[in-house]
DNA sequence: ATTTAGAATTAGAATGATTCTAAGTGTATT
DNA sequence: AATACACTTAGAATCATTCTAATTCTAAAT
């Protein structure tokens, strides 16, 4: 029986886990919760396969399709972000704070970089009139300090 | 017979086309030249398939593999750029001026936006010490003016 | 408690994009 | 003419992702 008189708009299932993110009370099935927890505990921007491997230690029978389903659900509900840096596998990121991605072209590592000051793309680039911006994705490519030290 | 006494470092073949880009004298085979010309004449950030279709009007027997080979060659020689905005097909761009990409999430259109003023990512984001930046990729997602007007 | 409806999960097939392979062709130098 | 080597090709192979159909699970209705 639900605790409040009206049903939550998002139907719950499974163990009915909840996650308070950005003021919203999102309910998650056990698998979705595990996928989220794995990603939240990762700072290396794992791919779907990486996440499958990590979730398997807790849920050995989870399938890749379910991981993709969970990631899609979490992404569309704004709990995680999808990162496209290169051709090939997409990466995922549970850091919801405003940030950009530094991508080392030598070792492939991806590092979050947080803003030092406010940034408004409209100030720097001439967008056609009437354009509405919902979000921006900045990827900074180069060599990380560790790789730069080696060469 | 080559015009100068020493051979160009990049061996030429075919009709030995040349292209002066960014001060360099790049030699191109006919197919590479056609792929470049098609892309240079396009402002819509075509995919490899789009480019295949357009090149076919001049060279009906060109294959997709050759288009990919040519695009890879042109990209690695800095004559064109690869653009990753979404999952799925990559797009290509012959605009070598500093610019960013506006991506309409409604109609999928991609528009180049040129800088209104100088932009240095290091001023806005805290990168670890010793990091070397080679280039940045900014994608601005939103709704283009045409799609915004419709809704 | 049982039934029902609908969402979640699964394995595996299907799709789509890209890369690889091996053979063939062409061009330039020997 | 012979050789070497880059370019091109078709098709196979690979990789990432999505789809499909069957199954399981949960919550609500009976």
């Amino acid at each position: 029986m639900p605790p409040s008189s009206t049903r939550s708009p998002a139907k719950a299932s499974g163990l009915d886990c909840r996650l308070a993110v950005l003021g919203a009370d999102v309910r998650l099935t056990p698998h979705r919760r595990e996928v989220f927890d794995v990603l939240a505990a990762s700072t290396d921007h794992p791919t779907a396969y990486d996440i499958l491997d990590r979730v398997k230690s807790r849920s050995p029978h989870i399938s890749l399709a379910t991981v993709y389903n969970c990631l899609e659900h979490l992404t569309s509900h704004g709990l995680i972000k999808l990162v496209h840096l290169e051709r090939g596998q997409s990466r995922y990121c549970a850091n919801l704070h405003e940030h950009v991605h530094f991508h080392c072209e030598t070792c492939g590592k991806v590092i979050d970089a947080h803003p030092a000051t406010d940034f408004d793309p409209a100030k720097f680039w001439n967008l056609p009139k009437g354009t509405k911006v919902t979000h921006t994705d900045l990827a900074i490519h180069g060599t990380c300090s560790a790789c730069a030290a080696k060469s």
Side-chain angles (χ1 to χ4, degrees), chain A residues 5-126:
Chain A
S5 54
T6 54
R7 288 292 286 111
S8 156
K11 261 199 178 175
S13 96
L15 295 184
D16 198 17
C17 296
R18 277 159 221 193
L19 195 57
V21 175
L22 299 174
D25 180 36
V26 181
R27 297 185 177 198
L28 299 176
T29 62
H31 279 166
R32 289 176 181 169
R33 177 73 207 219
E34 279 169 6
V35 167
F36 179 83
D37 286 347
V38 157
L39 193 56
S42 304
T43 58
D44 62 343
H45 304 80
T47 63
Y49 273 89
D50 295 335
I51 294 166
L52 174 66
D53 280 344
R54 296 174 200 180
V55 170
K56 267 188 174 166
S57 64
R58 287 199 240 168
S59 296
H61 297 301
I62 195 170
S63 73
L64 181 60
T66 299
V67 171
Y68 270 110
N69 288 343
C70 292
L71 289 169
E72 150 60 20
H73 180 92
L74 294 168
T75 304
S76 65
H77 284 76
L79 278 82
I80 64 173
K81 281 196 211 163
L82 190 50
V83 187
H84 296 294
L85 288 165
E86 299 177 288
R87 238 174 215 173
Q89 292 169 280
S90 299
R91 296 169 169 276
Y92 297 85
C93 167
N95 179 353
L96 295 178
H97 296 108
E98 192 196 340
H99 70 287
V100 302
H101 294 108
F102 175 82
H103 176 228
C104 177
E105 288 170 331
T106 306
C107 67
K109 198 162 62 177
V110 178
I111 299 165
D112 285 353
H114 293 89
T117 172
D118 240 22
F119 172 69
D120 173 11
K123 280 189 189 142
F124 291 91
W125 288 277
N126 291 310

Side-chain angles (χ1 to χ4, degrees), chain A residues 118-138:
Chain A
D118 240 22
F119 172 69
D120 173 11
K123 280 189 189 142
F124 291 91
W125 288 277
N126 291 310
L127 296 173
K129 262 194 184 162
T131 303
K132 280 182 190 153
V133 174
T134 55
H135 67 283
T136 61
D137 263 327
L138 175 64

